[in-house]
Amino acid sequence: MSALTSPSTGETLTWSDDDFEPDGRYLLDNSRLLGPIMLMPAVIYIIGLVGVPFALAIAYAFSDVTVGDQSIDWVGLRNFRDVWGNDTFQRALRNSFMFAIVSQVIVIILANMLAMVLSANFHGKRIVRFLVLLPWTTPIALAVIGWLWTLDNVYSPIDAALRELGLLGPGTMFGPGKNMLWLAKPDLAQLSVLTVHVWRTLPLATVILLAGLAAIPQDVKDAADVDGASFWRQFFYIRVPLLIPIMTVAILYGIVFTFTDMTVVYILTRGGPIDNTQVLASWAFFTGVEASNLAHGAAIALFLFPLLVVVALIMLRVAKRAETV
Amino acid sequence: MASVEVREIVKQFGENAPAVDHISLTAQDGEFLVLLGPSGCGKTTLLRMIGGLEPPTSGDVVIGNHVVTHLPPRARRIAMVFQSYALYPHMSVHDNIAFPLRAQGTPKAEQEKRINWAASILGLDGLMKRKPRQLSGGQRQRVALARALVREPSVFLLDEPLSNLDAQRRASARDELQQFQRSIGTTTIYVTHDQVEAMGMGDRIAVLNLGTVRQIGTPQEIYDDPADTFVATFLGSPPMNLVERGTMLHGFRPEHFSPAAWHDAANPFERFSFVPHREEYLGAERLIYGEVGDEKVVARFPATTQLDFSIGHPVEFGVATRHMRYFDAESGVRSYETP
Ligand SMILES: Nc1ncnc2c1ncn2[C@@H]1O[C@H](COP(=O)(O)OP(=O)(O)OP(=O)(O)O)[C@@H](O)[C@H]1O
Ligand SMILES: [Mg+2]
């Protein structure tokens, strides 16, 4: 038995020799036990929802499986050859790259401008920041349905506005029709998909850049002021170089999101008109699920894999470099 | 080269008490002026207003006869060294030093000449390719100085540039910096809260408290003739003793406080009944802590002096009248009459 008088309350605290026995009570203090227990849910989740489907996709891609005949017979690279020879696949491949790259180029320019504006002090800054972030918080399917209405072939409010401004209609800048037919003309449909991607990935990029801007010490900006650097010199020689690591992260995130996304195309255009906005993800879905050719669908989807591996590797390298600066 | 003047300058952040409250002062052409004061007294704010990084609430900044209050920093021909050094982390030492020259559009050959010149006087020759993070604190400071120097500014503004150095490096850096300023003769305003630095380096010192200037003068004037009790107790370690008698505070430095028996009758002196409590031995000197009445006072003696009194027993002490300083007990302001 030991005893001690509490200095704060004056109570007598006692404990017995039993308290020092290594029984079950302290089991969870052991990190070699606690660690695996805490990790278990995440590991199960990843194996169940990522590992198993991925293994299945590989198995399907090298076999002749269809929805009707699910037995897996090995066919080597035949699926990949078949898929590659298809015109729509070629277009989907081009579109995937085009949407990802063009949208991210636009996003990075706009995000830089937005972040700079939002890092300044002005009234209502919190509200504006909230509004900028809003597209990111909307479930993508809902947001795209909103866009579907906005770009409607008949009732598009954009068209209505253009007509009001005298830009649309007979004898005007955008031609004689009453509607632009955003989703029905190939190039406008592509532009529409691009716009939605930009609209959707811009908020995250902006927030990431804002964090990066805030991390540049005020003293460094002041020093550049005192050193006589003009706005553009400060922008290109101080801000951009200091932001490059975090900008890379923002771009890579955007590329992954746009490259793997099929919701936008699926809801907005269903790949049309005549497959003009088809991307790998949507084409894989249409082939594998809607056309019941699981093997071809899996092979198409697997084309995404090498690119995403490269992107992930670059991201890890950038993250590691940012840690050592 | 130019003088720097601030006129009735005020800076108010929000609803708080002003950080800088109607300060007027002038740094003469070529002078080394030190701004000294406790943390939060507005030193950095004042310096940033002179540099144009902070717009004043009211008042003016004048550099070399031009009112520059509304000019941006780059129009003021100043160079500033920040407390954090504020080097550009992604640029090599060479590019850091070159940055202000490139911004000015100095011709390439001229740039290299000036960079080499600055690098050689500051001993940076072997470090030109390194990044700031590969440098020690002292080296970073020298890079920051070199970057300020190459522009050949008319005014140097330095904000506690030595505060990140260890005691030893700081002493030598202090020395180098002062010699360097003497040799180029650029008007310099130097912020510090370290009185040793201020006393050792400044041609003149401006003592600040709560956003106002309490006194401006040479180090000797500030130390020997403090204008009020704030200055008297801010400088000196230990600071000036203050003993209240009637409506006056009687002030004296610890080194002037000695046994009455040591004073000779020819020189008038003021008597105090001193109770020594504790002795502190500091190598070169010893400090005796004790009380006069119920006020704490300190006496300072060279360590070699034989002391003929003992701890705990009251002893008669005295201070030569010419070393006494008097202050109004209520306002703390210096009074030049002998009570
Ligand atoms: N941007 C700001 N916004 C609000 N208050 C500020 C700002 N900058 C400084 N202050 C306030 O102004 C006062 C003076 O600050 P300043 O930085 O000038 O002090 P200082 O004398 O340099 O102190 P230190 O020796 O600690 O560096 C402080 O009370 C500080 O809190
Ligand atoms: Mg400061």
Side-chain angles (χ1 to χ4, degrees):
Chain A
M1 251 336 221
S2 316
L4 185 78
T5 309
S6 156
S8 53
T9 62
E11 285 171 56
T12 306
L13 310 167
T14 59
W15 59 93
S16 65
D17 292 343
D18 265 10
D19 287 320
F20 298 98
E21 284 303 309
D23 53 21
R25 268 179 293 170
Y26 306 118
L27 220 50
L28 288 183
D29 288 272
N30 183 346
S31 62
R32 292 195 28 207
L33 190 68
L34 190 63
I37 293 178
M38 302 290 265
L39 274 177
M40 198 53 71
V43 172
I44 292 174
Y45 174 88
I46 290 175
I47 290 178
L49 291 178
V50 180
V52 172
F54 184 63
L56 269 181
I58 292 178
Y60 286 177
F62 292 97
S63 70
D64 65 353
V65 67
T66 63
V67 173
D69 169 17
Q70 297 205 3
S71 66
I72 293 179
D73 301 305
W74 186 251
V75 295
L77 288 173
R78 197 185 74 200
N79 288 326
F80 291 95
R81 245 179 281 129
D82 291 353
V83 161
W84 183 262
N86 181 312
D87 280 348
T88 307
F89 172 85
Q90 295 279 342
R91 177 171 295 163
L93 188 65
R94 270 201 311 276
N95 279 344
S96 281
F97 276 99
M98 193 271 282
F99 287 149
I101 292 169
V102 176
S103 72
Q104 291 319 298
V105 168
I106 297 173
V107 160
I108 211 65
I109 293 170
L110 292 182
N112 262 301
M113 286 160 56
L114 257 181
M116 211 172 321
V117 170
L118 290 182
S119 65
N121 266 321
F122 57 88
H123 275 288
K125 173 162 133 175
R126 279 161 169 266
I127 296 204
V128 176
R129 276 194 189 196
F130 171 75
L131 290 177
V132 165
L133 204 57
L134 216 49
W136 184 250
T137 61
T138 326
I140 180 154
L142 279 187
V144 180
I145 289 173
W147 276 101
L148 191 59
W149 293 336
T150 308
L151 299 169
D152 189 88
N153 284 340
V154 179
Y155 300 110
S156 165
I158 301 177
D159 293 356
L162 287 177
R163 281 195 300 269
E164 279 303 309
L165 290 172
L167 295 175
L168 183 64
T172 58
M173 189 171 156
F174 290 120
K178 267 192 74 194
N179 287 293
M180 296 291 288
L181 305 177
W182 293 102
L183 300 176
K185 292 186 182 159
D187 46 353
L188 285 185
Q190 287 185 342
L191 184 67
S192 300
V193 171
L194 258 179
T195 307
V196 176
H197 278 313
V198 169
W199 176 84
R200 175 147 175 82
T201 45
L202 183 59
L204 182 68
T206 307
V207 171
I208 290 178
L209 281 188
L210 262 178
L213 274 181
I216 300 179
Q218 184 61 39
D219 273 0
V220 169
K221 297 180 227 168
D222 285 345
D225 264 339
V226 171
D227 281 345
S230 62
F231 173 84
W232 288 112
R233 180 169 286 272
Q234 291 195 28
F235 182 79
F236 284 114
Y237 290 87
I238 309 278
R239 264 180 216 232
V240 169
L242 287 177
L243 283 181
I244 276 188
I246 204 152
M247 237 191 269
T248 316
V249 171
I251 294 175
L252 293 178
Y253 260 112
I255 287 181
V256 170
F257 275 121
T258 39
F259 208 78
T260 58
D261 179 82
M262 68 161 280
T263 321
V264 174
V265 168
Y266 184 73
I267 297 180
L268 212 55
T269 63
R270 306 202 104 240
I274 0 170
D275 291 330
N276 266 293
T277 56
Q278 207 68 263
V279 291
L280 286 185
S282 61
W283 184 233
F285 179 81
F286 285 122
T287 311
V289 179
E290 302 219 327
S292 304
N293 193 337
L294 280 182
H296 280 185
I300 294 168
L302 273 189
F303 269 96
L304 295 173
F305 184 62
L307 179 104
L308 294 177
V309 167
V310 170
V311 172
L313 284 179
I314 300 176
M315 266 167 133
L316 289 176
R317 271 195 63 160
V318 171
K320 200 167 145 199
R321 231 190 28 213
E323 271 169 25
T324 58
V325 166
Chain B
M1 305 296 136
S3 64
V4 178
E5 186 184 352
V6 293
R7 294 178 185 155
E8 291 294 318
I9 203 161
V10 177
K11 179 71 196 189
Q12 181 128 24
F13 292 107
E15 300 293 302
N16 305 326
V20 169
D21 193 3
H22 293 94
I23 287 184
S24 297
L25 55 78
T26 307
Q28 305 297 345
D29 194 355
E31 185 176 26
F32 196 117
L33 178 71
V34 174
L35 303 180
L36 174 67
S39 187
C41 71
K43 306 180 295 286
T44 299
T45 308
L46 179 57
L47 201 71
R48 287 172 59 84
M49 286 194 288
I50 296 173
L53 295 170
E54 199 85 71
T57 309
S58 67
D60 277 315
V61 180
V62 181
I63 297 180
N65 299 328
H66 300 284
V67 178
V68 296
T69 318
H70 300 291
L71 295 182
R74 63 197 156 98
R76 300 189 180 198
R77 288 192 41 100
I78 47 156
M80 193 153 170
V81 176
F82 295 80
Q83 182 165 355
S84 61
Y85 307 141
L87 300 179
Y88 306 120
H90 56 295
M91 294 184 196
S92 66
V93 168
H94 175 274
D95 290 354
N96 261 280
I97 303 175
F99 188 80
L101 297 175
R102 290 182 184 154
Q104 280 175 352
T106 312
K108 199 98 201 161
E110 171 77 14
Q111 275 184 27
E112 290 308 316
K113 224 164 70 189
R114 289 211 223 165
I115 293 168
N116 289 335
W117 166 73
S120 69
I121 34 180
L122 288 163
L124 293 170
D125 289 318
L127 307 172
M128 298 307 269
K129 289 208 175 64
R130 297 220 197 149
K131 292 277 173 67
R133 75 182 122 85
Q134 299 165 315
L135 300 176
S136 73
Q139 291 167 334
R140 282 179 209 185
Q141 188 221 348
R142 300 209 300 266
V143 177
L145 276 172
R147 186 176 66 182
L149 196 60
V150 284
R151 303 179 45 207
E152 305 184 341
S154 55
V155 180
F156 269 128
L157 304 177
L158 309 173
D159 191 357
E160 310 206 22
L162 307 185
S163 60
N164 288 342
L165 306 185
D166 59 49
Q168 238 172 41
R169 280 222 63 104
R170 197 188 296 196
S172 66
R174 201 159 65 208
D175 199 49
E176 283 169 26
L177 194 60
Q178 193 188 24
Q179 278 196 13
F180 171 69
Q181 194 267 344
R182 292 271 141 82
S183 66
I184 57 168
T186 305
T187 313
T188 300
I189 300 182
Y190 185 99
V191 164
T192 182
H193 61 251
D194 179 337
Q195 48 164 313
V196 180
E197 236 166 77
M199 299 285 288
M201 297 173 82
D203 292 324
R204 285 192 306 155
I205 300 175
V207 183
L208 270 61
N209 189 34
L210 300 175
T212 58
V213 174
R214 307 306 286 257
Q215 186 173 6
I216 302 186
T218 63
Q220 191 169 2
E221 282 165 7
I222 301 269
Y223 188 80
D224 288 345
D225 281 306
D228 60 18
T229 49
F230 174 80
V231 179
T233 51
F234 189 70
L235 279 111
S237 74
M240 184 178 270
N241 297 305
L242 294 173
V243 174
E244 191 165 349
R245 284 186 167 166
T247 60
M248 286 294 175
L249 290 171
H250 293 218
F252 48 92
R253 294 280 174 198
E255 56 270 31
H256 298 136
F257 191 48
S258 53
W262 297 10
H263 291 262
D264 75 66
N267 291 319
F269 63 96
E270 194 171 326
R271 286 175 177 277
F272 295 89
S273 175
F274 178 57
V275 185
H277 287 326
R278 190 167 69 83
E279 174 179 340
E280 208 172 271
Y281 177 74
L282 296 175
E285 58 187 30
R286 62 183 84 208
L287 302 177
I288 311 291
Y289 291 84
E291 286 179 351
V292 166
D294 45 12
E295 309 204 48
K296 297 200 178 317
V297 296
V298 188
R300 186 212 304 266
F301 298 98
T304 48
T305 312
Q306 280 295 324
L307 298 182
D308 47 7
F309 55 87
S310 47
I311 299 296
H313 300 285
V315 54
E316 206 58 14
F317 260 52
V319 179
T321 312
R322 67 193 161 89
H323 288 138
M324 293 299 302
R325 302 290 178 258
Y326 304 103
F327 304 91
D328 187 273
E330 228 158 83
S331 64
V333 173
R334 177 81 180 275
S335 156
Y336 290 90
E337 283 158 39
T338 310

